[in-house]
Amino acid sequence: MGCRENFFAAKNVGKRFGSQWVFRGVEFEIPQGECLAVTGPNGSGKSTLLRILARLEQPTEGTFSAFDRPRMGCVAPDLNLYPPLTVYEHFLFAARLRSVQANAQKLIEMVGLKGAETLPASALSTGMKTRLKLGLAVQHEPALLILDEPGSSLDAQGKAMLAEIVAEQKRRGFLILATNDHSELRFAEQELRLG
Amino acid sequence: MDRFNALLKKELASELRTRSGIYSTLLFAVLTTTAVGFTSIERAPSPLVASALLWLVLGFASVTGLARAFIVEEDQRTSDLLRLLSPPGPVFWAKLSYNFLLVLAVAAVVVPLHLIFESVHPENWPLLIVGTISGCGALASGVTFCGSLVAKSSARGAIAGVICLPVLLPIIISGMGAISGSFESSNSDVVIGAWKSVAALAGLSLVFAGIGRQLFPFVWES
């Protein structure tokens, strides 16, 4: 899983469920400070590829630059929050597991959840949950940020906040974004089309 | 240690707010204890039968808490978040500790009820208390071990039944030996045997916790 320093790369990555290949031969190389957009129709394997890069799933074949999980942040629609825990408790919980400063108030303000700190995740709207996930994903200033259709449930204010997070991540490390929203393609220097 | 504390606090906070595990487990335990108690109205059961009934209730009550260990993380689809946040070790120990507290809470209700309904009188209280606590530890270890193995399977119910049987059977048999000894302290051989059963329970706790901890990272990453 080697790669050149300051580059995030994948070589010949493929994933098969049963006898059905979802994708094969995925290759890319992005330098630090750039964003790779993964696009493609539904079922083309965008989310699966991102789960592989986040090391939540194993590829059937191929290699890629492997980051330790503590150095990654991830936002995905199927990455669920703990329903009984409040917004504030999620930041404290994640910080203690990551052994970093919680910065809860700062992050809550950044993602626009001020006033919702004491709400349990089960009481949040889909957009608010995405905001909370974004806050959790960047809490530890990750080297690699993986975003799976982050803007699909965000309002205009949320999308502006997302643009700030993207800009900050590009200053810090690598960014991979799966999207079908053409307005989000402006974040990316490279595009990988699946399917 | 900070990770373990955070994870255990999360388990307890989730339980205290939803009360899904403790209510269903207590409901089962109290209902079965009461129903079994009615069978003993006319004649008190022998110490061995009384302890067997107690461990059957505790054993099955702990299995109803099985889902709380790891399966709930898969069902709620929170396991990915947990995998991103924590290495497997603290997760396993926190789940085991939560299960131990849950089984202990159930035992704190069921054992006194059982003594009342079954009209059995402990003659060796230290043996009863230590036997119950070590049995709860063994049940928690066994259930956590089984839960960690089956959580990611699509056929959890069937596999859990197959795996739980050989795990829980020695625990229940040792538990019977420990508790029945506390009901008849006049026979020193029985008491010595009972303390050996307590040691067996402690050993089973360590074995299942140890094997579970070793296997869990492979399941966690699969």
Side-chain angles (χ1 to χ4, degrees):
Chain A
M1 298 211 176
C3 70
R4 287 197 287 144
E5 207 176 329
N6 297 328
F7 279 82
F8 184 75
K11 194 170 183 188
N12 198 31
V13 172
K15 180 68 181 179
R16 186 180 62 196
F17 290 114
S19 59
Q20 184 77 34
W21 284 95
V22 183
F23 52 79
R24 291 190 86 171
V26 168
E27 296 202 358
F28 62 80
E29 185 178 78
I30 53 169
Q32 189 166 348
E34 289 196 0
C35 170
L36 172 73
V38 182
T39 60
N42 294 341
S44 58
K46 300 188 296 295
S47 297
T48 303
L49 175 62
L50 264 56
R51 283 179 62 80
I52 288 170
L53 298 177
R55 296 180 58 210
L56 293 171
E57 205 146 327
Q58 293 289 324
T60 308
E61 63 182 16
T63 58
F64 61 97
S65 317
F67 279 88
D68 292 336
R69 288 213 184 102
R71 295 182 65 209
M72 287 191 292
C74 190
V75 175
D78 60 354
L79 195 71
N80 282 359
L81 302 159
Y82 285 99
L85 295 192
T86 66
V87 169
Y88 190 76
E89 286 170 335
H90 270 94
F91 283 110
L92 292 188
F93 176 61
R96 288 182 72 185
L97 293 182
R98 287 167 166 155
S99 304
V100 297
Q101 287 284 322
N103 294 325
Q105 285 303 339
K106 184 182 151 197
L107 288 164
I108 285 168
E109 282 181 32
M110 187 190 85
V111 297
L113 287 175
K114 198 164 168 49
E117 297 96 325
T118 56
L119 288 180
S122 57
L124 300 179
S125 69
T126 309
M128 291 166 92
K129 282 177 185 164
T130 303
R131 287 166 180 257
L132 175 52
K133 290 180 197 176
L134 280 165
L136 290 171
V138 298
Q139 181 184 42
H140 55 308
E141 301 185 345
L144 170 64
L145 182 61
I146 294 172
L147 304 175
D148 189 356
E149 305 201 22
S152 59
S153 58
L154 293 175
D155 55 19
Q157 195 187 32
K159 288 188 175 175
M161 176 265 297
L162 175 63
E164 285 176 28
I165 287 176
V166 166
E168 179 63 32
Q169 180 60 31
K170 283 175 155 186
R171 281 192 286 273
R172 185 166 49 218
F174 304 96
L175 176 64
I176 297 183
L177 169 77
T179 184
N180 276 321
D181 182 345
H182 286 280
S183 69
E184 287 175 359
L185 288 179
R186 73 182 193 279
F187 298 139
E189 283 75 20
Q190 293 186 42
E191 182 181 350
L192 172 69
R193 183 154 183 86
L194 297 178
Chain B
M1 200 63 191
D2 200 36
R3 285 191 179 120
F4 167 81
N5 289 337
L7 287 159
L8 183 57
K9 192 177 167 190
K10 184 268 290 180
E11 296 292 337
L12 294 172
S14 298
E15 181 55 51
L16 289 172
R17 288 171 199 176
T18 60
R19 296 188 179 91
S20 55
I22 191 76
Y23 276 2
S24 57
T25 307
L26 271 178
L27 177 70
F28 172 84
V30 171
L31 272 179
T32 47
T33 305
T34 310
V36 164
F38 278 113
T39 65
S40 317
I41 288 174
E42 293 188 357
R43 193 177 64 176
S46 70
L48 196 60
V49 171
S51 62
L53 293 173
L54 174 65
W55 282 104
L56 282 176
V57 173
L58 285 176
F60 279 104
S62 69
V63 172
T64 63
L66 179 74
R68 299 296 303 165
F70 296 99
I71 294 171
V72 71
E73 299 277 359
E74 298 298 328
D75 287 347
Q76 291 181 347
R77 306 184 78 174
T78 49
S79 60
D80 283 344
L81 179 64
L82 203 51
R83 287 163 72 196
L84 285 169
L85 292 174
S86 175
V91 175
F92 181 83
W93 292 121
K95 296 281 184 190
L96 195 156
S97 302
Y98 165 76
N99 275 343
F100 177 62
L101 292 175
L102 182 70
V103 180
L104 207 57
V106 172
V109 174
V110 166
V111 172
L113 276 181
H114 191 75
L115 296 179
I116 294 166
F117 282 122
E118 296 292 323
S119 305
V120 284
H121 306 288
E123 296 172 15
N124 190 333
W125 282 95
L127 187 52
L128 177 71
I129 293 167
V130 176
T132 303
I133 292 172
S134 52
C136 289
L139 281 175
S141 292
V143 163
T144 308
F145 168 69
C146 294
S148 69
L149 292 186
V150 303
K152 286 190 178 287
S153 166
S154 54
R156 290 169 201 151
I159 296 175
V162 173
I163 293 179
C164 279
L165 182 69
V167 170
L168 294 185
L169 202 57
I171 296 173
I172 289 184
I173 290 171
S174 300
M176 285 165 54
I179 299 302
S180 66
S182 73
F183 296 146
E184 44 183 337
S185 64
S186 54
N187 187 334
S188 62
D189 287 344
V190 172
V191 173
I192 290 168
W195 281 110
K196 284 181 180 171
S197 295
V198 171
L201 286 170
L204 287 168
S205 303
L206 293 175
V207 166
F208 289 129
I211 296 173
R213 173 63 186 87
Q214 292 303 312
L215 291 179
F216 182 59
F218 299 102
V219 180
W220 187 242
E221 299 295 338
S222 67

